Amino acid sequence: MANHKTRLAAFCSGTGSNFQSLYHAINERGLPAEFTLCLSNRSECGAIIFARQHGIPTVHLSEKQHDTHKAFAAAMLGSLEEHAVDYILLAGYLRKVPEAVVNAYSFRILNIHPALLPDFGGPGMYGINVHKAVLEAGRNESGATVHYVDSEYDKGPVLLQRKVPVEAGDTPESLAARVLKCEHRLYPDALEKLLIAKEL
Ligand code: GAR
């Protein structure tokens, strides 16, 4: 891998445990990447606090701060440019990324989803809703998926996917915890795969 470090932005809306696991994996595995931005639609959340504690620049950006969607998208692109971001990693970002940003970062945005896409994806399918749906459908396995982001929710090409068993007596919460544990390895593995592919 080259000496240049790939500059990453984490987009988060909540705890940011996936962002945190990515940050630690980069250090522990010595990956040639660094977070140069943490962007959130919430002014205070676990991800933003973690970023501040680790000297990563933060941006609070919400559609409500702007009169038009175009202005919101332009502000997002401005932040990405200001921090010279190469790749965007969505980590529990529960908003749709504006089309202008998806186009500017074609095949340079990844998302992690807590199910085996293409099943249990799409609008409304986030967080605990996903695990409820998996249990209601009577599935005996679930999992996590890292995929490229395109203009449709949860539809872009899959980069990496891993299965997790559904166990007898599972609640949405117990399944969520098992899947999240899987996510914390899967996302760093996907980032590593991406960085290797990028250098080929
Ligand atoms: C994760 O389980 C992630 O897969 C999910 O939100 C959680 C965020 O947790 N994302 C989605 O449901 C996106 N459709 P985190 O903030 O602790 O990383």
Side-chain angles (χ1 to χ4, degrees):
M1 292 184 197
N3 288 332
H4 163 75
K5 284 192 178 180
T6 299
R7 298 170 67 86
L8 307 172
F11 280 22
C12 306
S13 300
T15 314
S17 70
N18 274 294
F19 164 42
Q20 298 182 30
S21 79
L22 282 161
Y23 176 88
H24 292 307
I26 286 169
N27 289 336
E28 284 157 18
R29 300 183 189 189
L31 301 181
E34 62 183 337
F35 281 103
T36 60
L37 177 65
C38 175
L39 181 147
S40 179
N41 56 301
R42 290 174 55 198
S43 57
E44 284 293 317
C45 62
I48 288 284
I49 292 166
F50 178 86
R52 266 194 225 120
Q53 286 168 344
H54 292 80
I56 299 163
T58 63
V59 171
H60 169 222
L61 188 66
S62 142
E63 185 128 21
K64 290 183 212 139
Q65 298 161 332
H66 298 275
D67 291 337
T68 63
H69 184 71
K70 206 174 162 187
F72 168 62
M76 192 176 275
L77 281 170
S79 293
L80 292 164
E81 198 174 314
E82 186 187 334
H83 296 280
V85 170
D86 297 316
Y87 283 83
I88 301 169
L89 305 183
L90 307 186
Y93 184 65
L94 303 181
R95 292 281 182 277
K96 202 159 191 278
V97 179
E99 187 103 27
V101 177
V102 172
N103 291 339
Y105 278 80
S106 177
F107 280 91
R108 292 193 294 144
I109 310 178
L110 296 182
N111 179 43
I112 187 153
H113 186 77
L116 297 172
L117 290 175
D119 292 345
F120 305 104
M125 278 293 172
Y126 58 85
I128 207 74
N129 297 348
V130 176
H131 308 294
K132 274 185 193 157
V134 169
L135 292 179
E136 274 162 21
R139 296 294 173 94
N140 59 14
E141 61 184 14
S142 188
T145 306
V146 175
H147 66 97
Y148 291 98
V149 171
D150 62 16
S151 54
E152 272 190 280
Y153 256 125
D154 300 330
K155 284 278 166 69
V158 170
L159 178 61
L160 209 58
Q161 191 168 63
R162 203 162 284 158
K163 289 178 179 170
V164 161
V166 173
E167 289 172 8
D170 256 340
T171 60
E173 289 75 19
S174 64
L175 179 58
R178 194 175 309 116
V179 171
L180 190 62
K181 203 169 162 206
C182 167
E183 291 181 51
H184 291 162
R185 286 189 60 100
L186 185 73
Y187 217 169
D189 290 351
L191 174 62
E192 200 166 340
K193 185 173 171 182
L194 176 92
L195 293 171
I196 291 168
K198 191 174 158 276
E199 294 304 323
L200 292 179

